[in-house]
Amino acid sequence: MEAIYPKIISFLEKELCQDTSGHSLDHALRVYQNARMILNVEGGNERIILISALVHDVIDPKLFKQVKKQEEKLLLFLKESGCSQEELDSIQYIIKNISFKGGNSTKLTSLEAQIVQDADRLDAIGAIGIGRTFMYGGAKGIKMYDEQLSIMDFENEEAYRNHKGTVINHFYEKLFKLKDLMNTPAARKFADKRHQFMEKFIEQFLDEWNGES
Ligand code: ADP
Ligand code: NI
């Protein structure tokens, strides 16, 4: 393993240690693992993909109030760890553009960005995706379910970010859409099984909620 990866993991241990919303170090490590699986099939620049996969949440406005400061800290750290300016530009493009944004994100222009986005999205679905979504709900004080709150279709990123719905609605608002939004055939293959598992889970959840199971 290249020396930069353990260094990044130590950096992430500090940056993500406060998180209780499903975006802690274990998420970053799974995205790294997913990205490796996808790039083994699809190709792309391995170093750019794996570094971006690890650090992608360090500048997330959901997790950090001072995003600009986080970005400066991250870029300085990566530069001191041996990344070239060209690598930093590619990494910055990826981590600034892979977010879901309520379905309003633009098509990604590099294969590396497409792979990291797919890797992140795989960790948002399936059994782990379910677990993370309930963690997020708990951490942010979002209700588990409420029939009175309708499922939303977001016109822009701001509407998505400001909306406080329910954990169950989030499956319809985002998670069930991800399978068809995967960029690469390799990721789509992994997504199918995870998608089916979420469908079963929601069916059972609603049966129990309605006293039918
Ligand atoms: P992105 O950074 O791609 O926009 P999200 O904002 O959707 O990603 O957050 C990533 C994960 O956090 C989701 O996959 C989900 O598990 C959780 N999450 C985000 N928003 C909500 C929400 N409103 N309700 C429940 N979980 C959420
Ligand atoms: Ni992520």
Side-chain angles (χ1 to χ4, degrees):
M1 194 194 240
E2 257 193 272
I4 191 166
Y5 297 115
K7 257 195 210 166
I8 296 176
I9 291 167
S10 304
F11 175 79
L12 293 177
E13 270 169 357
K14 277 194 228 109
E15 293 304 314
L16 303 176
C17 66
Q18 306 281 355
D19 182 78
T20 53
S21 74
H23 296 82
S24 49
L25 177 64
D26 59 298
H27 165 62
L29 293 175
R30 285 189 304 273
V31 177
Y32 171 93
Q33 200 177 38
N34 292 343
R36 196 179 259 300
M37 254 169 10
I38 301 169
L39 82 86
N40 281 341
V41 182
E42 306 283 347
N45 181 317
E46 179 176 304
R47 191 169 137 98
I48 297 292
I49 292 170
L50 295 180
I51 294 174
S52 304
L54 282 173
V55 303
H56 76 278
D57 273 334
V58 170
I59 60 157
D60 189 325
K62 285 193 302 305
L63 313 178
F64 299 98
K65 283 198 184 88
Q66 294 181 294
V67 177
K68 196 79 209 138
K69 205 174 123 202
Q70 282 300 114
E71 191 175 346
E72 283 163 11
K73 198 199 298 184
L74 174 65
L75 290 176
L76 182 66
F77 162 75
L78 290 175
K79 197 172 171 187
E80 286 175 354
S81 305
C83 288
S84 67
Q85 189 54 48
E86 202 186 331
E87 286 177 325
L88 291 181
D89 291 344
S90 305
I91 293 165
Q92 215 175 353
Y93 168 74
I94 294 174
I95 63 179
K96 280 186 148 176
N97 287 287
I98 61 166
S99 182
F100 179 65
K101 304 187 174 86
N104 295 288
S105 47
T106 46
K107 180 83 185 158
L108 297 168
T109 54
S110 74
L111 173 63
E112 287 76 16
Q114 292 176 357
I115 289 177
V116 179
Q117 184 176 63
D118 283 357
D120 192 26
R121 288 179 168 177
L122 280 178
D123 205 53
I125 61 177
I128 299 238
I130 294 170
R132 291 183 61 224
T133 304
F134 280 87
M135 281 194 78
Y136 188 94
K140 305 281 178 182
I142 296 171
K143 278 185 181 175
M144 186 158 75
Y145 186 45
D146 182 343
E147 298 99 320
Q148 303 300 319
L149 296 177
S150 45
I151 292 160
M152 305 286 285
D153 210 357
F154 301 102
E155 276 179 13
N156 52 46
E157 184 184 359
E158 205 190 351
Y160 174 62
R161 295 283 171 225
N162 292 335
H163 174 69
K164 200 170 178 182
T166 73
V167 169
I168 295 301
N169 284 6
H170 192 66
F171 284 79
Y172 296 96
E173 289 164 350
K174 176 184 175 188
L175 307 183
F176 284 141
K177 295 179 181 175
L178 294 181
K179 173 174 75 76
D180 294 327
L181 290 174
M182 292 291 167
N183 302 294
T184 62
R188 221 165 297 139
K189 229 169 92 185
F190 290 116
D192 279 339
K193 188 175 166 197
R194 295 181 185 210
H195 183 92
Q196 281 173 27
F197 186 80
M198 288 196 301
E199 282 185 328
K200 267 201 197 133
F201 170 81
I202 289 292
E203 195 185 325
Q204 176 74 16
F205 181 100
L206 294 175
D207 279 355
E208 291 179 19
W209 188 274
N210 295 320
E212 289 166 7
S213 180

